[in-house]
């Protein structure tokens, strides 16, 4: 290639970009949360979801404003480095990456557990981890083949999981149920419910980590974040409304949404929801499997990791070494029974990156001479909400996070020894 570095091409438009925040947010939660919210606050549950989406919006806006400044892959790595220096950027990227690998193994185990309802053999203690390994290997292979193939696959998986949910919502109009009077919940119940609604939106941020392969990331990434956070809020509200109309008596079942679908659409409806749940978890995992190797590629571009991770396959034009490294580690964790100990810190790590990203915005604006008041308001709300959620974490999560930080500090002084390939003002 005339001695020039091969870079992954920018092939993903707005709708492909939007698949990442959509699938980051909609995983297994949408199949369990409706019943939990209805049990907690009754018919106010859809409006509680709307309140949760509004409260989450300041954080989404902080990410959107930061994403409009950068066009390379890396996300919080770039934001942290630009505002607070290389060490913070490295730690944000390393912790996010390490926790994502473990979470990938955990999510695939959940997907296999859902599929075991259709294929009982997957419950076997020997077959289950092997099925997890095969699933993670398939994600890796498709990811290696190219970003277009990955986005196309993600689009198909998204349709498979959303169509049954759409059918459930439509069937609710013919179920003959009533919403009844909306009663405001007791204030003492609101705090825990808001906590649940916040978790529904965690995962949207994966889109910023693969920005280097989007056609117009400074435009499309911010738009996709706001569009999809708003859209996911409406999807949750519609599904909760459907659950109430069909009959909240299914709330006590292990798979309440499948029970509702069975009541309104028969056994085929129940089966469709089980399949949708499996593909929803798979699509959530797939989106992360596409984004995280790009995060590692972005760290290598910034000189924070060996250039080996920056290698791009000359035929498929994908960061193949980073993809293979992620895939192999995810498979190994999937086969290791003790991975769940590390998985508990996954949400806490995300919250730390949320805080770093949010605080980076006023720091950069201050350097430029003016902090936008509305931006500062959103930063305060985003940081406060993230700190509140983080304060609910168990001691074990903080211990694992401390382990990630200690390991990251050691890795930083070993790995982050090279010069960045581009100045941050070109990021």
């Amino acid at each position: 290639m005339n001695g020039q570095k091969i870079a992954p091409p920018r092939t993903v438009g707005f709708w492909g970009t939007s698949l990442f925040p959509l699938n980051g947010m909609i995983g297994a939660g949408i199949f369990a949360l409706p019943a939990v919210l209805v049990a907690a606050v009754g018919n106010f549950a859809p409006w509680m979801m709307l309140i949760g989406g509004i409260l989450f919006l300041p954080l989404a806006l902080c990410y959107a404003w930061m994403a409009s400044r950068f066009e390379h892959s890396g996300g919080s790595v770039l934001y942290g480095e630009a505002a607070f220096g290389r060490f913070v950027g490295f730690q944000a990227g390393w912790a996010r990456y390490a926790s994502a690998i473990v979470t990938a193994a955990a999510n695939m185990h959940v997907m296999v557990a859902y599929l075991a309802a259709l294929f009982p053999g997957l419950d076997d203690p020997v077959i289950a981890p092997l099925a997890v390994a095969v699933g993670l290997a398939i994600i890796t292979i498709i990811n290696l083949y190219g970003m277009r193939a990955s986005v196309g696959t993600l689009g198909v998986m998204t349709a498979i999981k959303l169509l049954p949910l759409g059918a459930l919502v439509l069937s609710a109009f013919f179920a003959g149920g009533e919403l009844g009077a909306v009663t405001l919940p007791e204030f003492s119940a609101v705090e825990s419910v808001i906590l649940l609604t916040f978790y529904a939106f965690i995962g949207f941020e994966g889109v910023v980590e693969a920005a280097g392969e989007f056609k117009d990331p400074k435009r499309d990434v911010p738009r996709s974040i706001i569009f999809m956070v708003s859209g996911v809020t409406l999807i949750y509200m519609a599904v909760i409304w459907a659950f109430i109309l069909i009959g909240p008596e299914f709330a006590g079942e292990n798979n309440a949404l499948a029970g509702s679908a069975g009541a309104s659409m028969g056994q085929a409806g129940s089966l469709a929801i089980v399949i949708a749940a499996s593909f929803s978890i798979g699509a959530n995992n797939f989106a992360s499997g596409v984004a995280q190797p790009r995060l590692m590629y972005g760290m290598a571009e910034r000189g924070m990791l060996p250039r080996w991770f920056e290698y791009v396959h000359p035929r498929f034009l994908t960061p193949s070494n980073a993809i293979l490294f992620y895939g192999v580690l995810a498979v190994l964790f999937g086969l290791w029974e003790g991975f769940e100990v590390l998985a508990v810190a996954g949400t806490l790590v995300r919250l730390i990156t949320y805080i770093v990203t949010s605080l980076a915005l006023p720091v950069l604006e201050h350097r430029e001479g003016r902090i936008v008041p509305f931006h500062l308001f959103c930063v305060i709300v985003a940081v406060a909400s993230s700190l509140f959620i983080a304060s609910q974490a168990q001691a074990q999560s903080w211990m694992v996070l401390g382990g990630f930080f200690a390991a990251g500090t050691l890795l930083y002084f070993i790995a982050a020894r090279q010069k960045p390939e581009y100045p941050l003002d070109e990021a």
Side-chain angles (χ1 to χ4, degrees):
M1 302 291 291
N2 298 323
Q4 294 183 351
K5 172 195 167 186
I6 304 175
R10 296 183 180 273
T11 58
V12 184
F14 171 74
W15 291 110
T17 301
S18 297
L19 291 174
F20 287 90
L22 173 63
N23 286 287
M25 289 181 282
I26 297 184
I30 197 168
F31 298 90
L33 191 57
V36 175
L37 286 182
V38 171
V41 296
N43 289 359
F44 191 73
W47 302 108
M48 201 73 236
M49 202 68 224
L50 178 61
I51 293 172
I54 292 172
L55 292 176
F56 195 85
L57 194 57
L59 175 60
L61 285 170
C62 288
Y63 263 84
W65 290 323
M66 288 301 297
S68 68
R69 293 169 169 263
F70 299 86
E71 62 180 18
H72 283 266
S73 294
S76 56
V77 175
L78 302 179
Y79 311 155
E81 182 184 3
F84 307 110
R86 282 168 63 81
F87 180 74
V88 173
F90 179 89
Q91 286 285 7
W94 149 252
R96 176 79 177 92
Y97 183 83
S99 66
I101 291 177
V102 183
T103 303
N107 285 345
M108 191 59 71
H109 273 276
V110 175
M111 179 180 176
V112 169
Y114 266 90
L115 289 173
L118 303 177
F119 309 101
L122 292 176
D123 266 336
D124 187 276
V126 175
I127 294 177
L130 292 177
V132 168
V134 170
L136 292 169
I138 291 173
I139 290 175
T140 303
I141 292 170
I142 297 174
N143 200 1
L144 276 172
Y145 190 70
M147 179 60 98
R148 285 183 175 175
S150 297
V151 171
T153 302
L154 193 57
V156 172
M157 296 178 76
T158 302
I160 292 174
K161 77 177 180 182
L162 290 184
L163 287 175
L165 291 174
L168 177 68
V169 172
L170 289 176
S171 72
F173 288 101
F174 306 98
E178 295 182 358
L179 284 174
V182 176
T183 305
L184 291 177
E186 295 291 333
F187 182 77
S188 58
V190 171
E191 181 179 297
S192 59
V193 173
I194 288 177
L195 185 68
L196 288 173
T197 59
F198 192 95
Y199 281 118
F201 299 100
I202 288 179
F204 77 98
E205 73 283 353
V207 65
V208 302
E209 293 159 353
E213 295 185 46
F214 302 150
K215 292 179 180 179
D216 192 353
K218 290 185 177 181
R219 182 198 68 179
D220 289 346
V221 172
R223 288 172 58 200
S224 71
I225 289 174
I226 303 305
F227 185 71
M228 284 303 165
V229 168
S230 303
V232 166
T233 301
L234 296 177
I235 291 172
Y236 263 100
M237 291 180 70
V239 171
I240 294 170
W241 265 316
F243 181 77
I244 295 172
L245 283 171
I246 294 169
E249 66 270 14
F250 297 99
E253 299 185 4
N254 290 333
N255 196 337
L257 215 58
S260 295
S264 62
M265 297 185 288
Q267 186 176 1
S270 181
L271 178 62
I273 290 296
V274 172
I275 294 173
S278 302
F279 273 86
S280 185
I281 299 165
N284 178 274
N285 230 13
F286 194 97
S288 179
V290 175
Q292 294 310 307
R294 273 73 183 182
L295 172 65
M296 182 162 267
Y297 174 86
M299 293 179 71
E301 278 193 311
R302 297 301 304 153
M304 296 179 181
L305 289 175
R307 299 294 185 203
W308 183 84
F309 291 101
E310 204 179 349
Y311 175 78
V312 174
H313 194 282
R315 178 182 175 186
F316 302 130
L317 299 179
T318 54
S320 53
N321 287 353
I323 292 170
L324 286 171
F325 188 83
Y326 177 89
V328 170
L329 279 184
V331 167
L332 291 177
F333 274 113
L335 294 173
W336 176 44
E337 294 182 356
F339 74 93
E340 292 180 353
V341 175
L342 301 180
V344 296
T347 298
L348 187 57
V349 168
R350 289 179 187 270
L351 293 169
I352 298 302
T353 60
Y354 290 170
I355 293 170
V356 169
T357 297
S358 299
L359 291 176
L361 180 61
V363 170
L364 296 182
E365 289 187 341
H366 175 70
R367 290 177 189 169
E368 294 164 355
R370 179 177 182 269
I371 298 177
V372 179
F374 181 62
H375 289 188
L376 182 60
F377 168 77
C378 288
V379 168
I380 293 172
V381 174
V383 172
S385 61
S386 297
L387 287 173
F388 169 70
I389 304 299
S391 70
Q392 311 300 310
Q394 300 294 322
Q396 186 183 27
S397 297
W398 286 102
M399 291 176 62
V400 174
L401 178 66
F404 282 153
F405 179 81
T409 301
L410 178 62
L411 284 172
Y412 174 77
F413 290 106
I414 294 174
R417 303 164 65 98
Q418 303 174 79
K419 291 184 179 180
E421 289 202 355
Y422 58 88
L424 273 177
D425 57 6
E426 297 179 4

